[in-house]
Every structure is written in C-alpha cells, then in structure tokens.
C-alpha cells in the first residue's frame, strides 16, 4: 500500500480503501459530523460505523457535509446483536440506510456472532442473519457482506453457504494478533479488518513502541497503523481530533523493517477491550 487511495480487493472484485475511519465511541451530532467531514477532507475514503454506535445519523450528515460524491466513498455498517435472525436483520438494514441517509451500503457486517455461551441454537441464528445479508447483497442493496468478531468455529458454517463472508473485522493491535483467526480468514479469502488498531489508545503508552516509533520519526499511532498494513490487515483508527485524524493517515512515507515487524508481532498481550466473542453477555 503506497497511498490512502490504495485498496484491498475482495473476492467479488469490490475494492476497499486501505485505511478506514473508525467511529466507535464517537458521539452522535456535531462531533460525528465534524469528525467524518474532517476525515473525508483529510483524504479518508472509507468510513466505518455501526447501528450500535448510535451515531449513524451524524455520520451520514458528515458524509453529506463533505460534498464528496457517494460513489467515491466506501461506507460500512453493522447489524446489532438484538437484531439477529432473518426478519430482524432485514428491518435493521432499512433503519441503518435511512439513518445514514444513503441508498446503499458498501459493506454490511454481522457485529458479533451468536455464541454457544448464550444460545443453544447459535449456529442457526447466525445462519438466519446471514441469509438476510445474502439476500440484500443479491438484491444489490449492499456491495459486499461480512462479519465482525467471528472466530473460526463461528465462520465455518457461513463459509459453507452460497456466499461466504468477504470480510471479518476483529480487534487487532500489538499484543493481540489473533493468529488463528487471521490464518483461517486467509485460507478462506476473507479480508481482515482491525478495530481498535491503537488498542483504544492503550498502545500509545508502550515504551517499547515509543522507542521504535521514534526511530522512524513517527508516532506510536502511525507505527501501529503501518504495522497493520504491512501485515495485510486493514486498520480502522478512530479519532475526533482533527490533528490526529490527519496524523493517522500519514503512514506512507516509511517502511517498518522485517526485524521490527517481527518484534511487534511477538509483543505479548498487554491490554485490549477484553471482549471474547464466546463470553460476551450483550
Ligand atoms: P480521540 O478520538 O479523542 O482523538 P482506536 O482506534 O484503537 O479505538 O483508538 C482510539 C483512541 O485513540 C481514541 O481515544 C482517540 O482519541 C485516540 N487516538 C486516535 N489517534 C490518536 C493519535 N494519533 N494520537 C493519540 N491518540 C489517538
């Protein structure tokens, strides 16, 4: 990846701009409008939101305010856990589209798998949700479909359906590389996206990463984002601060060495959201 306009290519030919603008924990209203329009002004062409973030209206207003033509932008949203299953997913999609003020989505994801921890028929629930996503995709309402926070055992049943997931968005940052899930996705031609590539800010406190970033004349945030790209994972950094929004895409003028990549890849877990897909109670 050499510029912000380079893309990851999905199995169906759809191209996703290589850094997405994260909006988890971005408050709706003026903050979302400002952050999203600022991101588009800074060159982001990929915006990631979700129904459960409660900011789709503000994100949509930010997109409109930017004045950018719709087809130049890649927009992702996600179906929330209370809306799982065929019928509810179809309605959730209509609400998302209406809140965003768009007439199609580029990518729609199942936000979290139904897990065996909470549901005896978890596989059946996931398949019901997936059937609705597939139908929306085939009707042309969504350009690509995928999942988020799915582990290999959740993914398996979906990869055996008519249309296999094209994307899996997982928590991914130094100390949490989810090697088994990433390998499974690679084998099944599923693009991996990183939510919280900065560990929701936690990574920035690592002395080891601070020393390494300084060597490149870059910030730890930039190091983490570049590290995702060099590992073939699409980062989705979030910020509501204009200077950071710009900083987070200024990552194309340096290359992390093989040795440093290996060092970051080997950093043990030192904090994250702590949400295991098989243990969450929401
Ligand atoms: P803010 O939104 O107030 O600018 P992640 O993308 O891993 O979820 O991390 C998001 C968090 O990291 C937010 O708290 C955000 O703060 C902060 N953040 C994002 N970019 C930077 C940066 N370049 N430098 C420092 N903090 C950042």
């Amino acid at each position: 990846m050499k510029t912000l306009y380079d893309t990851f290519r999905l199995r169906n030919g759809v191209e996703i701009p290589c850094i997405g603008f994260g909006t988890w924990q971005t408050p709706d209203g003026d903050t979302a409008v400002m952050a999203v329009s600022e991101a588009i002004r800074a060159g982001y062409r990929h915006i990631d939101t979700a129904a459960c973030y409660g900011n789709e209206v503000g994100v949509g207003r930010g997109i409109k305010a930017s004045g950018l033509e719709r087809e130049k932008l890649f927009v992702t949203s996600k179906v929330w856990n209370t809306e799982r299953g065929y019928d509810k997913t179809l309605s959730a999609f209509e609400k998302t589209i209406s809140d965003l003020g768009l007439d199609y989505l580029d990518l729609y994801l199942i936000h979290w798998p139904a897990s065996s921890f909470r549901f005896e028929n978890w596989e059946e629930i996931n398949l019901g949700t997936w059937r609705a996503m597939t139908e929306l995709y085939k009707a042309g309402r969504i350009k690509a479909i995928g999942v988020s926070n799915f582990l290999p055992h959740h993914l398996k049943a979906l990869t055996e359906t008519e249309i296999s997931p094209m994307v899996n968005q997982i928590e991914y940052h130094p100390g949490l590389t989810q090697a088994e899930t990433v390998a499974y996705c690679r084998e099944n031609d599923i693009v991996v996206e990183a939510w919280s590539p900065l560990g929701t800010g936690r990574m920035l406190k690592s002395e080891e990463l601070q020393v390494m970033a300084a060597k490149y004349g870059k910030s730890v945030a930039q190091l983490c984002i570049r590290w995702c790209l060099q590992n073939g994972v699409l980062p989705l950094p979030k910020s509501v601060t204009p200077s950071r929004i710009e900083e987070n895409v200024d990552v194309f003028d340096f290359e992390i060495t093989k040795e440093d990549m290996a060092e970051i890849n080997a950093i043990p877990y030192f904090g994250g959201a702590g949400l295991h897909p098989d243990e969450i109670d929401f």
Side-chain angles (χ1 to χ4, degrees):
M1 302 290 167
K2 294 196 165 51
T3 79
L4 190 49
Y5 305 109
D6 286 343
T7 57
F8 285 80
R9 198 183 169 85
L10 301 180
R11 153 165 21 89
N12 65 348
V14 164
E15 305 206 41
I16 315 188
C18 66
I19 298 181
F21 185 61
T23 62
W24 179 38
Q25 295 178 331
T26 295
D28 199 13
D30 292 347
T31 307
V33 177
M34 176 280 292
V36 168
S37 44
E38 193 59 34
I40 294 171
R41 194 197 55 73
Y44 291 78
R45 290 294 176 267
H46 171 177
I47 312 287
D48 184 276
T49 185
C52 103
Y53 300 169
N55 59 17
E56 286 175 312
V57 171
V59 167
R61 281 176 51 210
I63 291 171
K64 288 255 152 45
S66 78
L68 188 75
E69 293 146 71
R70 170 66 184 97
E71 57 279 12
K72 298 220 164 111
L73 199 63
F74 190 97
V75 183
T76 300
S77 193
K78 313 180 190 88
V79 57
W80 185 237
N81 301 355
T82 49
E83 311 307 309
R84 290 184 182 118
Y86 179 77
D87 293 324
K88 282 193 187 168
T89 297
L90 291 180
S91 322
F93 172 76
E94 298 303 338
K95 173 148 177 33
T96 275
I97 281 283
S98 147
D99 284 353
L100 282 164
L102 301 176
D103 52 13
Y104 70 92
L105 276 184
D106 294 278
L107 178 64
Y108 199 38
L109 306 176
I110 303 182
H111 208 144
W112 289 88
S115 73
S116 55
F117 170 75
R118 283 193 63 202
F119 303 97
E120 227 172 84
N121 60 339
W122 61 277
E123 266 187 308
E124 202 182 304
I125 297 172
N126 288 334
L127 282 168
T129 311
W130 190 245
R131 193 157 59 82
M133 314 270 294
T134 303
E135 199 165 293
L136 291 164
Y137 170 70
K138 286 169 77 175
R141 311 286 311 275
I142 316 170
K143 306 279 182 206
I145 48 177
V147 296
S148 183
N149 302 299
F150 273 51
L151 301 174
H153 62 276
H154 303 120
L155 273 165
K156 190 169 180 300
L158 270 49
T159 60
E160 287 161 1
T161 65
E162 181 189 357
I163 297 178
S164 172
M166 298 161 193
V167 167
N168 188 15
Q169 183 181 123
I170 57 174
E171 184 180 1
Y172 184 94
H173 47 72
L176 186 62
T177 53
Q178 305 219 42
E180 202 185 315
T181 300
V182 171
Y184 186 90
C185 289
R186 293 268 141 83
E187 281 158 28
N188 288 279
D189 203 4
I190 297 169
V191 167
V192 178
E193 297 184 338
W195 62 262
S196 279
L198 316 177
T200 325
R202 281 181 194 86
M203 300 302 107
L204 312 180
K205 298 192 188 97
S206 155
E207 230 184 280
E208 184 176 359
L209 293 175
Q210 285 168 6
V211 169
M212 193 186 288
K215 205 174 75 180
Y216 293 98
K218 286 287 173 179
S219 68
V220 174
Q222 291 168 325
L223 184 74
C224 291
I225 292 161
R226 178 81 205 180
W227 167 79
C228 287
L229 290 173
Q230 287 189 219
N231 272 339
V233 172
L234 190 158
L236 302 165
K238 171 265 177 186
S239 178
V240 294
T241 314
S243 59
R244 293 173 173 174
I245 292 173
E246 283 196 21
E247 177 186 325
N248 293 346
V249 289
D250 178 16
V251 298
F252 298 98
D253 61 350
F254 75 115
E255 170 105 21
I256 306 172
T257 64
K258 244 188 181 167
E259 293 72 27
D260 286 344
M261 284 300 292
E263 184 178 328
I264 307 176
N265 286 337
I267 292 177
Y269 184 75
F270 67 105
L275 301 171
H276 192 286
D278 275 328
E279 289 164 14
I280 54 158
D281 61 359
F282 53 84

